[in-house]
Each structure stands twice: as structure tokens, then as C-alpha cells.
Amino acid sequence: MKNLVLLGSTGSIGVSTLEIVAAYPERFRVLALTGNYNVDALAQQVRRFSPRLVAVPDAARAQVLRELVPDRNVEVLSGLQGLRACAALAEADLVVSAITGFAGLEPTLAAIEAGHDVALANKETLVAAGALVTSRARALGVRIYPVDSEHSAIFQALQGQREAQVRRLILTASGGPFYQSSPEEIERATPEAALNHPRWRMGKKVTIDSATMMNKGLEVIEAHWLFDMPEEKIAVQIHPQSVVHSMVEYVDGALIAQMGVPDMKIPIAYALAFPERLALDLPPLDLCTLGSLTFAAPDDRRFPCLSIAREALRQGGTVPAVMNAANEVAVACFLNKTIQFGQIAEVIRATLEQHSPSAVTDLETVIEADRKGRQTARRIAAAKENAQ
Ligand code: MG
């Protein structure tokens, strides 16, 4: 029996994780759940999975949740303290980190500091603080299992191989909804169009990141930290069918790819049960029906975010954290319709131009870089809004 803590249980990854847990009650027990604004969904999860501990963002929501489950023996906590307490729960065997954005960093670190293995869906944790997170995990003997589909694919393609014999990693990208669009169409794309991802059903933040290709930029940084691979050895290829989830190229020229239907349950289940595989109730991948798989190089002119992220990784220090902060702000502004789609990259670039990089020595450095990055990005985005 594996004891799980699930951070971000009402989001897309959280819900899929609980579906797997529900299918395998003899394997997994849920000790703690944390959610954000959807208290009703959290209350249903409490009834279904009987966690000992639950955390929500504030005291008001904690009270609402208590009143929704008065008959349940569950402790309801709130705020960052509550998240940390769930992440560090002594009996946990695995902490699933599925909170969106920078907000996932501190609870993920709390899990690592408590010595718990982590199934990591929150890529921003490694983008903002990869050096810190991986060095603490190494020091404490904590394993980080990737949940992101591309990184899970690479992790799977590395099994039984020698990491020293890897020539490069190849991340695949669907290209998002605007893969075929003209620069003019991309510039003025609406949130509705950007949220309409052709292959994957995901949360809003990652879907917009996918449309700008920043998602792939964040994933290059994530791959750098997870697999200790330099930036220039992490390639990106556009693969619109989203069947090959990523590949590892070895020194002899052999490419090992992981394929499957685009469903996050596959990488989630692999992270939950590693090294075992769980039988999942998914349609089989039928390559004959698909007929053909295509691959192409990414277009930096139409999608500049990928090269912005590569440059941030090369610069290192606080630069990726600031880039991530600016991206989170810009995506929120775009979803609120205060800036245009094409301005997301402009906000990020302008924010980075105003940042004086420093080395990341501790968590406080990262939190401060994130705070300042958000401040700068909000100012730049507001100026763009006023100029419209
Ligand atoms: Mg991904």
C-alpha cells in the first residue's frame, strides 16, 4: 500500500490521479489532499477518498469545507502552512505535486525536505528553482518522478540504458492550436481559440503556454534539471499527432521513443507505480488508423517563447525564475483580455531586459526574483493595455 499526498487535487492532473487511485484501492491510500477555489469538488473528494488532512488557500474556505463534510474525521488546514503540513506528512510515501505555477514550489520543497519522493507535474518548480530543488533531492535521497508527458517518455526511454551514452533528448511538441496560423492571426488570437488545444485536454495555464510554445521552453528547462542534460543537447520537434511523446537518441544513433494515446493517465500511472505498469482503461493506440506521423522543426519567428526560454536557461541564476514569473503574469493578462496573444512574448522579453541576474543561493532569492519579476511584468502589461 502506497500512501499518497496529492497537492492540487481538483485540477486536471489531480482529478486524473484520483481516477487511477479509485481504480486501484488495494495499491494506493490518499492521506492528504489540497485544493484551490473549487471547495465543492474538494468536499466530494474528501467523501470519496477519506483523507486525514486537507488544505485550502484561506481560513474562510477552510470553514466552508468543514461545513460541507461535518460527518468526516478530516483536519482542514489553510494557507501555505497548510500546504506545507500536507506535503510533509510523516507517513507519506509519495507526494504528487500538481499545483499550477510558481505556487507549487514551496510545497514541493517541503515534501523533499521531509524526505518524500515526488511525482512532479509542476514544471514551474524546476524552471524557477531547478538547481535548488535537484540538489536538495540528491542530498536527501529523494526521487523525482516526472509526470509531464514528454519527461515521462524520456524517463521511460532511459530505463535499462546508460545515461552516459545518451547523445541528446528530443522533446516533441504538438505545435498547439496555431501551428498552421499566420503571424497576423497569431498576434490577435483570442483566449477561446488559444484554449482550444487540438490534442490534449489540460488546465488553462498549460494550454495557453502550449499555444505560445512557452510550454516547450519550460519543458527544455525541466528536462535540463531532471536529466542533467545541457541545453544544446535538448532538441525540440513539432509532432502534431502527439503520438510520440518524446525520444532519447543514443551515441550509436539509436532513437528510443515512447508512444501512446495522448492521455495524462499514462504518465501519471507510471510515476505512481514505478517501476511497475498499471493496466489502464484507455483505447489502444492504433498506428494503422493514424496512417502517418510527421515531424518538423519549430518556427522561432512565429513562436519566440521557445528561444526566450532557451536563452534564460543559458543565462541561469535568477533569469528562468523571472521569465516564469513574467509568463504567469502575461498569461493571466491575456486570459483577462487586457493584452493580446502576441504581447505575451513581448511582456516576458521586456521584463527580462529590466532584470539584473544574480546567482540562486537559497529559496529566498528565488521568491524575491519571482516577486520582482511579477511586479515588473504587471507594470509592462498595464502600459500595453493603456496603449491599446
Ligand atoms: Mg508536457
Side-chain angles (χ1 to χ4, degrees), residues 54-115:
V54 174
V56 290
D58 53 59
R61 282 195 194 86
Q63 193 49 37
V64 172
L65 181 58
R66 282 186 203 107
E67 285 164 14
L68 285 171
V69 289
D71 51 329
R72 292 295 161 137
N73 186 19
V74 59
E75 193 179 347
V76 184
L77 308 173
S78 62
L80 185 55
Q81 288 300 338
L83 276 175
R84 282 209 195 103
C86 289
L89 201 62
E91 297 87 345
D93 298 310
L94 182 70
V95 176
V96 181
S97 170
I99 292 173
T100 300
F102 186 78
L105 171 60
E106 288 189 72
T108 305
L109 262 177
I112 292 170
E113 294 297 343

Side-chain angles (χ1 to χ4, degrees), residues 296-310:
D299 179 354
D300 281 348
R301 279 178 310 111
R302 284 184 306 147
F303 301 100
C305 285
L306 176 56
S307 46
I308 293 175
R310 284 189 179 280

Side-chain angles (χ1 to χ4, degrees), residues 19 24 28 48 51 91 148 182 191 194 196 200 218 222 241 299 303 316 354 360 365 376:
E19 284 174 16
Y24 285 92
F28 304 111
R48 176 74 183 74
E91 297 87 345
D148 208 347
S182 69
N196 187 22
W200 293 93
L218 301 177
E222 183 185 9
Q241 296 83 12
D299 179 354
F303 301 100
Q354 295 189 24
V360 169
T365 320
T376 309

